[in-house]
Amino acid sequence: MPHEGSRSPGAEPVMEMLSEHIPLSLIMDMAAPDGPRSAELLASEGLPDGEWWEPSPRG
């Protein structure tokens, strides 16, 4: 199992973006402009059951 010190040097910026809550689909769009678009991924995978991006009623 890899440990923290064995992470690829290219992983650092990606991990930083993920920690800032940038969606992985957007990172994929930026990293592979000719790859699948996030809209296509959403169409094939669908929305999640719970809308985690909406604030909870409890505040």
Side-chain angles (χ1 to χ4, degrees), residues 4-21:
E4 186 70 27
S6 67
R7 187 179 291 159
S8 165
E12 180 80 24
V14 174
M15 295 306 291
E16 187 174 325
M17 286 187 272
L18 289 171
S19 73
E20 294 294 329
H21 307 285

Side-chain angles (χ1 to χ4, degrees), residues 3-49:
H3 58 80
E4 186 70 27
S6 67
R7 187 179 291 159
S8 165
E12 180 80 24
V14 174
M15 295 306 291
E16 187 174 325
M17 286 187 272
L18 289 171
S19 73
E20 294 294 329
H21 307 285
I22 295 174
L24 181 56
S25 58
L26 177 57
I27 296 170
M28 290 172 53
D29 283 349
M30 294 185 312
D34 294 332
R37 300 282 185 236
S38 54
E40 294 169 11
L41 295 171
L42 177 60
S44 68
E45 295 176 0
L47 291 171
D49 293 333

